Amino acid sequence: MSPLGLPERRRIVGTSLKCYFSLAQTAEYTRAIASLSPTASALNIDLFFIPDFISISPCATALAHSSVQLGAQDCFWEDRGAYTGEVSPANLAEAGVKIVEVGHAERRQIFRETDKDVALKAAAIVKNGMVPLVCIGEKTHASGPVSAAVGAAITECKPQIKAVMDAVPDDAEVILAYEPVWAIGATQPANADHVVAVVQGLRGLVEGRRGLTRILYGGSAGPGTFIQLKSAVDGLFLGRFAHDINNLERVIQEMGEP
Ligand SMILES: O=C[C@H](O)COP(=O)(O)O
């Protein structure tokens, strides 16, 4: 807790493997990420790792003696029932998952997930004692003056955030990953001035919550990204550029700098 009685906002970094790796590659990567855990802990940084569903149980075993927080890429909003093919949040918690990602742009776009779906999932995640990592972001980069693009992004993110915050208790911990859709899978992250201004605006939307609310940036992030964003963000959500574990190590080191 901070001196004001607010939850402490430790820096946090992590990566999702999406659907990129085989089971064998994931197992090897898990061992590598576990080896970074003492460095992250020494630098007071939270480190999370989100493999595919099939790898969750073996990863939980492999990470048991590390401080790496295990994540899942999605879940359903019901714990039990006739929901063929869905993944129970209760089972994720039982498997040792601590963080569950919801509302990634790829799920919103390819699987037509709505803000309501994301909110139901976030509530189920909290109910099961885990932390929702909610992805938000604008679909396109508005042309024109910087302030117009920033305003448009905040306007588009606002209902995405509100749906979740209305569905979870005010004291629930939430991680927001600001990922401009147009910056995901790109060659470089979104412009730093844009991200800093948008995140400052998003911060205003969650001001006054009692629960710890950290805001990460994601979208082609890698070494060098955090340094440009650190006045605004609490950390990074990495994708492809963390596939090389040396890049993740560099990002952790950069995040450990004051
Ligand atoms: O889940 C991570 C984000 O979507 C970022 O992915 P990316 O860095 O490969 O663009």
Side-chain angles (χ1 to χ4, degrees):
M1 294 291 243
S2 75
L4 296 172
L6 297 168
E8 188 196 353
R9 284 188 5 225
R10 277 163 61 104
R11 287 178 175 169
I12 176 167
V13 63
T15 184
S16 159
L17 291 184
K18 302 193 183 187
C19 214
Y20 281 115
F21 279 14
S22 70
L23 300 183
Q25 284 176 301
T26 301
E28 189 184 335
Y29 190 85
T30 307
R31 285 190 287 277
I33 212 164
S35 74
L36 298 182
S37 142
T39 308
S41 297
L43 294 170
N44 211 24
I45 294 167
D46 290 338
L47 176 61
F48 66 89
F49 171 49
I50 312 187
D52 67 284
F53 282 128
I54 298 173
S55 299
I56 281 178
S57 284
C59 286
T61 305
L63 297 174
H65 301 293
S66 79
S67 62
V68 179
Q69 297 176 39
L70 182 60
Q73 296 182 17
D74 185 31
C75 71
F76 191 44
W77 54 76
E78 296 287 351
D79 291 348
R80 303 274 172 252
Y83 306 111
T84 301
E86 285 296 343
V87 174
S88 159
N91 288 4
L92 290 178
E94 192 180 344
V97 167
K98 305 291 182 212
I99 293 174
V100 185
E101 180 184 358
V102 282
H104 190 278
E106 288 144 18
R107 295 215 58 87
R108 293 179 190 262
Q109 195 181 342
I110 303 168
F111 303 102
R112 297 280 177 264
E113 285 194 358
T114 64
D115 289 344
K116 190 177 166 209
D117 298 334
V118 174
L120 285 168
K121 291 177 180 193
I125 292 160
V126 172
K127 191 191 81 178
N128 280 287
M130 300 174 290
V131 177
L133 190 172
V134 184
C135 300
I136 53 171
E138 77 277 17
K139 289 193 194 68
T140 53
H141 189 36
S143 54
V146 174
S147 59
V150 169
I154 295 170
T155 301
E156 201 169 328
C157 292
K158 195 172 177 176
Q160 299 171 355
I161 294 177
K162 184 173 178 350
V164 168
M165 296 312 181
D166 286 351
V168 302
D170 188 56
D171 61 356
E173 179 177 347
V174 175
I175 302 169
L176 297 175
Y178 170 55
E179 301 204 334
V181 180
W182 48 272
I184 297 172
T187 50
Q188 53 187 23
N191 175 280
D193 291 344
H194 176 82
V195 175
V196 167
V198 172
V199 171
Q200 283 166 347
L202 301 181
R203 192 91 59 197
L205 300 177
V206 295
E207 211 170 50
R209 283 193 83 242
R210 284 187 297 132
L212 176 61
T213 314
R214 288 182 285 186
I215 307 182
L216 313 185
Y217 169 77
S220 307
T225 307
F226 185 76
I227 294 165
Q228 298 183 61
L229 306 180
K230 67 181 179 187
S231 63
V233 306
D234 297 303
L236 295 179
F237 188 18
L238 300 164
R240 292 155 299 139
F241 298 146
H243 290 178
D244 177 345
I245 198 75
N246 297 316
N247 282 341
L248 180 55
E249 185 171 14
R250 282 172 60 195
V251 170
I252 292 169
Q253 295 288 358
E254 288 172 5
M255 285 179 59
E257 287 163 22

